[in-house]
Amino acid sequence: MPEVDGWTDADDDTQGDHPITRKLFAAANTGTMEGAAAWVAAEFHAYVNGHEAARGEVDHGPALLTAALGYYDQNVDDSFWELYTEVHEKVDRRHERLALRFVASGGFDGQQREIEVAAFLTVVDGMLTEMRWVTDLTTFNQVRVAAGMLALD
């Protein structure tokens, strides 16, 4: 990954070295989830600070990631994810783990905000099967409340 003093190719919608990282950031930064079924597993699940990221009846698979990114796009103006760190571990021939550190920025509720996220991804047979975010719950809840959703505890 091109990196100088902790900065990556931040002006590029597609960031990172691993194909899943590149696809995830391209989807988040362009708002396009076309073809997600080709890289997001049917059993995909996502969590934020230990809370399941289900969106109503959509609780797994490519539809969950599409709904979650759609929620973000609808409620955050000029959203952009900027990758700072990507660490890849090949567990065995089928399983991989990725650790990412990035900043998600954008405007909501009339204010420009940034939220730093540590994300832990599990990849099985080249498909994203799980994503866990750890982030500042106060700022994350401000985004949720501004979007008319309940805050998490």
Side-chain angles (χ1 to χ4, degrees):
M1 164 176 26
E3 186 169 333
V4 178
D5 295 329
W7 292 90
T8 62
D9 48 351
D11 58 345
D12 188 358
D13 291 334
T14 304
Q15 301 172 40
D17 286 334
H18 193 279
I20 294 293
T21 305
R22 294 184 65 75
K23 290 173 184 171
L24 178 62
F25 275 72
N29 288 332
T30 65
T32 303
M33 282 296 298
E34 291 176 23
W39 57 278
V40 179
E43 66 274 12
F44 169 79
H45 286 274
Y47 305 87
V48 177
N49 290 3
H51 294 273
E52 196 161 1
R55 303 281 309 138
E57 293 182 15
V58 180
D59 63 356
H60 67 281
L64 172 60
L65 187 58
T66 299
L69 291 178
Y71 151 80
Y72 189 75
D73 275 346
Q74 290 170 1
N75 294 288
V76 180
D77 297 324
D78 300 319
S79 65
F80 193 80
W81 291 8
E82 184 175 346
L83 182 65
Y84 283 80
T85 307
E86 177 187 42
V87 178
H88 170 246
E89 175 188 27
K90 183 91 169 161
V91 178
D92 59 35
R93 66 181 181 80
R94 295 184 56 222
H95 299 83
E96 301 172 82
R97 291 188 201 123
L98 297 166
L100 311 174
R101 185 175 68 91
F102 66 95
V103 171
S105 62
F108 70 92
D109 209 19
Q111 297 182 10
Q112 186 69 19
R113 304 263 182 162
E114 291 185 346
I115 185 168
E116 187 171 343
V117 178
F120 304 93
L121 285 57
T122 302
V123 178
V124 178
D125 295 329
M127 302 288 283
L128 180 62
T129 59
E130 184 178 87
M131 182 168 60
R132 292 183 178 270
W133 281 20
V134 180
T135 191
D136 167 30
L137 190 57
T138 300
T139 305
F140 186 75
N141 276 335
Q142 289 172 348
V143 174
R144 287 180 61 88
V145 170
M149 300 174 73
L150 294 176
L152 301 176
D153 36 325

